[in-house]
Amino acid sequence: MSHNSTILGIESSCDDTAAAVIHNGVILSNVMATQDVHRKYGGVVPELASRAHQSNIIPVIDEALKIANMSLQNIDAIAVTQGPGLMGSLIVGLNTAKGLSIALNKPLIGVNHLQAHVAALFIDHQVEFPMLCLLVSGGHTQLIMVESFDQMNIVGNTIDDAVGEAFDKGAKLMNLGYPGGPIISKLAENGNPNTYSFPDSQTSNLDFSFSGIKTSLLYFLRKQIETDPQFLEQEISSVCASYQKCLIDMLCKRLTKGIKQFNPKSIGLVGGVSANQPLRAEFAKIALKYNIPSYIPKFEYCTDNAAMIAIAGSFLHQTDRHLKISDLPYTRS
Ligand code: KG4
Ligand code: ZN
């Protein structure tokens, strides 16, 4: 990859407003404003997310430039998340990026959020291709055969919910708050993961399904609480540990199957749920078992961030894949 560029990356696809600067392939800053406003609703409220992006975006960009010790004049191109994501949230980042692009007369680069999650691996790793990458986020769960930055083929996909959603909805059922993944994972530390079991759904080949396990948690909790109203207070840690273990098993089963089917040179784990410590541990075990290199981004590059948008942008910039300002790139997925 040509490293002779300074790119400003902007991410606003969901509930985090983020900006980062990459210079000659090195991340100089990675700033993020998380939106606490959604916590009390147990999920992201799109209208509130757009409004918070609108207030945060300029200060976040300013901060990213300041930390990188760069001015807007030093930037060669502006990369921005083009989709998938919440329309109202995406528009804030896109229009800010368009404005900067016009004002500075610098190219605008549209980045696919999922491709950027995978590209997060290229920040700190020399990846051996082909890599079988497990992408686990709040909106997506996919197995991707990655031949290069430009060639990524989805070989497994969820047929309903994403695994992050299974964490978030599970936490909501137990009144634990949002986002559910880190909360369930924290509580699970004090529980026994082998206490309860929740069924895996049958899917064809490498596809995933997480709506069934969420429903089975709901019925399980109803039944237990009917006989013992104190059940959840007493057993919360083990319920969380067991639920988390079943979700991890469902992911690892498909990953293992994919390794056997495609015989990749390496494996990767990306997306918000890749911040999950027990999942990282299981992933490392699989790599050891199959004796292949494995990569996971640093924690700050797992959940939504702009460093991954900036690195993806620098790949696209290298071959002049710029957007026309007149494009209305809101629905690219
Ligand atoms: O990639 P991401 O930040 O946003 C999307 O693109 O969706 O992923 C967010 C998801 C949420 O569902 C959140 O609960 C989950 O990642 N998550 C975790 C952990 N940290 C974040 N899930 C399990 N364990 C964690 N430690
Ligand atoms: Zn994401």
Side-chain angles (χ1 to χ4, degrees):
M1 160 181 162
S2 148
H3 287 316
N4 285 327
S5 60
T6 305
I7 312 265
L8 171 67
I10 299 174
E11 152 65 34
S12 72
S13 65
C14 190
D15 60 338
D16 297 315
T17 320
V21 175
I22 189 168
H23 173 67
N24 295 352
V26 177
I27 300 293
L28 297 186
S29 62
N30 184 34
V31 176
M32 158 113 66
T34 46
Q35 302 180 356
D36 285 337
V37 63
H38 308 286
R39 231 169 255 278
K40 61 174 180 279
Y41 300 100
V44 177
V45 184
E47 174 68 19
L48 296 178
S50 316
R51 290 171 190 224
H53 282 307
Q54 193 66 50
S55 338
N56 293 342
I57 195 135
I58 298 296
V60 164
I61 291 172
D62 276 346
E63 181 77 2
L65 289 167
K66 203 168 134 202
I67 293 172
N69 205 13
M70 293 278 178
S71 74
L72 279 174
Q73 278 65 39
N74 300 128
I75 299 297
D76 296 315
I78 298 116
V80 61
T81 307
Q82 198 178 355
L86 300 170
M87 174 82 86
S89 291
L90 290 166
I91 284 175
V92 177
L94 274 159
N95 281 339
T96 305
K98 279 186 180 181
L100 286 171
S101 167
I102 293 168
L104 301 168
N105 196 22
K106 298 284 165 68
L108 177 67
I109 301 163
V111 173
N112 176 295
H113 182 86
L114 302 179
Q115 194 177 16
H117 267 301
V118 178
L121 287 173
F122 306 147
I123 295 173
D124 291 312
H125 299 96
Q126 205 62 48
V127 170
E128 278 188 49
F129 298 113
M131 163 178 69
L132 181 61
C133 190
L134 176 60
L135 183 153
V136 281
S137 77
H140 296 83
T141 304
Q142 299 180 336
L143 273 168
I144 308 167
M145 271 306 279
V146 182
E147 308 286 340
S148 68
F149 172 79
D150 283 308
Q151 218 189 334
M152 301 191 190
N153 298 316
I154 299 165
V155 294
N157 212 337
T158 180
I159 56 167
D160 41 55
D161 290 350
V163 65
E165 240 175 315
F167 272 103
D168 296 338
K169 289 179 177 171
K172 196 169 181 179
L173 286 177
M174 298 185 272
N175 291 318
L176 296 176
Y178 177 85
I183 303 172
I184 287 185
S185 164
K186 186 88 197 101
L187 287 164
E189 284 171 16
N190 302 315
N192 177 352
N194 300 315
T195 319
Y196 306 105
S197 100
F198 302 97
D200 190 352
S201 303
Q202 291 307 312
T203 49
S204 65
N205 202 12
L206 298 176
D207 285 342
F208 303 85
S209 166
F210 294 101
S211 69
I213 185 170
K214 175 199 68 195
T215 311
S216 91
L217 175 68
L218 171 69
Y219 290 136
F220 166 79
L221 291 174
R222 267 193 200 155
K223 198 164 142 240
Q224 297 291 332
I225 292 168
E226 218 173 79
T227 45
D228 173 10
Q230 305 303 313
F231 173 78
L232 204 51
E233 281 99 282
Q234 283 155 9
E235 280 300 287
I236 188 76
S237 300
S238 290
V239 173
C240 285
S242 303
Y243 186 64
Q244 173 176 264
K245 179 177 185 291
C246 291
L247 291 175
I248 293 173
D249 286 350
M250 288 160 80
L251 293 171
C252 290
K253 193 167 120 187
R254 270 77 173 183
L255 174 63
T256 307
K257 204 170 161 188
I259 294 172
K260 289 182 189 153
Q261 198 168 322
F262 291 101
N263 201 17
K265 285 257 170 54
S266 67
I267 54 175
L269 178 64
V270 302
V273 182
S274 69
N276 183 276
Q277 200 53 60
L279 173 60
R280 293 165 88 99
E282 285 308 311
F283 177 77
K285 273 192 216 162
I286 292 173
L288 206 63
K289 182 172 171 199
Y290 290 92
N291 195 25
I292 44 176
S294 65
Y295 321 104
I296 313 177
K298 278 189 198 148
F299 276 109
E300 61 265 39
Y301 305 142
C302 287
T303 45
D304 286 349
N305 65 88
M308 68 185 196
I309 306 303
I311 188 144
S314 57
F315 276 98
L316 294 165
H317 182 57
Q318 194 189 331
T319 43
D320 292 331
R321 276 170 284 175
H322 302 139
L323 290 175
K324 285 199 205 83
I325 294 293
S326 56
D327 282 351
L328 280 176
Y330 299 139
T331 52
R332 178 178 163 186
S333 59

